[in-house]
Amino acid sequence: QVQLVESGGGLVQAGGSLRLTCAATARAFSNYAMAWFRQAPGKEREFVALAGWNGGTYYAESVQGRFTISRDNAKNFVYLQMNSLVPEDTGVYYCAAGAATVPTAQHYHSWGQGTQVTVSS
C-alpha cells in the first residue's frame, strides 16, 4: 500500500499562488493514478485534479485553467500548482492514489492526512 504525505498548504490572499506537494512511499509508484481532492467546511469532499500513469490529466471545472497537476515518478512526488486562488478554493487538500484514472473518490485506495489551504478575500 502507498503512504502519502501532503505539504505546502498555508494562508494566501486572493489572486495568489501555492504549490502543494505529495510525497509517496509506494512500490511501482508510476503505475498509480494520482489525484487531489479537497473538502471545505460543511461541504463534501470534491475532486480537484488527477494525473494518470500515462501522463494524462483531468481537472474539475472549478479549477480548470488555474491549477496544474504534475508528477515526478523518479522522486515519487505529485504536485498541485494553484494559481489565481479565490476564497472558494479554501479547504483541506488531500492527495490520493488509485488504480484507475477517474475523478471519483471511491476509486482511490490511499489517502494522505491533508493540508490546509486558506485563501483570504
Side-chain angles (χ1 to χ4, degrees):
Q1 203 71 4
V2 58
Q3 290 79 50
L4 305 172
V5 179
E6 303 94 337
S7 62
L11 175 64
V12 64
Q13 61 185 350
S17 298
L18 285 173
R19 188 177 79 157
L20 306 183
T21 298
C22 174
T25 300
R27 180 177 62 86
F29 172 79
S30 62
N31 292 331
Y32 290 105
M34 300 297 298
W36 289 93
F37 292 77
R38 68 187 182 188
Q39 188 166 18
K43 299 181 65 177
E44 296 183 358
R45 188 172 301 181
E46 66 173 341
F47 167 77
V48 176
L50 67 81
W53 59 268
N54 62 354
T57 60
Y58 180 74
Y59 299 90
E61 291 184 6
S62 60
V63 306
Q64 181 72 48
R66 299 188 297 118
F67 291 11
T68 302
I69 186 171
S70 61
R71 60 192 297 169
D72 185 335
N73 290 338
K75 296 181 178 179
N76 286 7
F77 284 178
V78 61
Y79 307 96
L80 184 68
Q81 178 66 47
M82 306 185 295
N83 299 326
S84 301
L85 286 162
V86 295
E88 291 74 21
D89 294 319
T90 293
V92 178
Y93 283 68
Y94 299 91
C95 180
T101 55
V102 292
T104 53
Q106 66 180 20
H107 289 94
Y108 293 85
H109 57 259
S110 299
W111 296 82
Q113 294 299 305
T115 184
Q116 177 71 43
V117 172
T118 302
V119 184
S120 62
S121 59

